[in-house]
Amino acid sequence: MKKGKKVMTTVALIVLAGLGYFKGMGIYSSSKVMDIGVKEGKLKVCLEKPNCVSTTNTNEKHKISIITTSFTLEEIIEKLIKNDLELVKSDGNYAHFTHTSTLMSYVDDIEIMLNDNELSIRSASRVGYSDMGKNRERVELIRDLLK
């Protein structure tokens, strides 16, 4: 086999192994149980990884502003389902959704809690370290939907 073919074959195998690894992480994320929900009347804070944003956090890396809305929780749920979020649970003023990425099947958890006209929200990746800003972007899209 020529040297060029060996190099190309090696590169192809490395790329396929990398894709397999990341796809495997997506499959793992779909089965991972997250520590989520309401604690002491608030959504849980994001931990140290930068793959999460929450209205509960106070540090700049994770903090995002509360969303002011005139929609009911039922209307909000309907809008989020129409925008590719899957409803997992709805209980009182709280709802939990997931979003699965198309290519790698990574699962993110999105939680909302409506009090009067203020929507608290938390969006977090289940696996990995960085989300390349996807959770913050998602919350801002939700903010635009609820104007």
Side-chain angles (χ1 to χ4, degrees):
M1 187 182 288
K2 291 184 177 182
K3 188 175 183 176
K5 270 192 170 183
K6 282 185 180 181
V7 169
M8 290 301 291
T9 301
T10 302
V11 169
L13 288 173
I14 291 170
V15 168
L16 287 174
L19 287 174
Y21 169 78
F22 287 113
K23 185 65 174 175
M25 288 299 289
I27 293 167
Y28 167 71
S29 76
S30 67
S31 64
K32 187 174 180 184
V33 177
M34 296 303 298
D35 181 25
I36 57 174
V38 177
K39 184 177 181 179
E40 298 176 9
K42 295 181 179 181
L43 297 175
K44 294 187 178 176
V45 297
C46 299
L47 300 177
E48 70 282 347
K49 294 180 181 178
N51 61 4
C52 175
V53 294
S54 173
T55 53
T56 308
N57 279 79
T58 56
N59 64 334
E60 288 304 312
K61 179 167 61 171
H62 298 108
K63 182 177 176 52
I64 198 147
S65 300
I66 285 178
I67 298 171
T68 303
T69 184
S70 60
F71 293 104
T72 65
L73 186 63
E74 293 76 19
E75 292 169 328
I76 293 169
I77 289 171
E78 185 178 316
K79 285 179 173 290
L80 296 183
I81 290 171
K82 287 181 181 177
N83 282 274
D84 296 328
L85 296 186
E86 183 177 331
L87 180 64
V88 176
K89 176 184 177 182
S90 175
D91 185 19
N93 66 339
Y94 169 84
H96 171 219
F97 301 85
T98 58
H99 177 267
T100 304
S101 67
T102 305
L103 183 61
M104 294 297 183
S105 303
Y106 290 156
V107 178
D108 292 347
D109 291 287
I110 300 91
E111 299 175 276
I112 61 172
M113 187 173 65
L114 186 63
N115 290 311
D116 297 321
N117 65 337
E118 291 187 340
L119 185 73
S120 297
I121 191 163
R122 180 178 189 271
S123 184
S125 301
R126 288 188 181 181
V127 296
Y129 183 76
S130 175
D131 67 346
M132 298 183 282
K134 288 295 182 186
N135 285 298
R136 185 171 297 280
E137 182 181 303
R138 180 179 300 113
V139 171
E140 292 305 332
L141 288 172
I142 291 170
R143 184 184 312 280
D144 288 344
L145 275 174
L146 301 179
K147 285 184 177 178

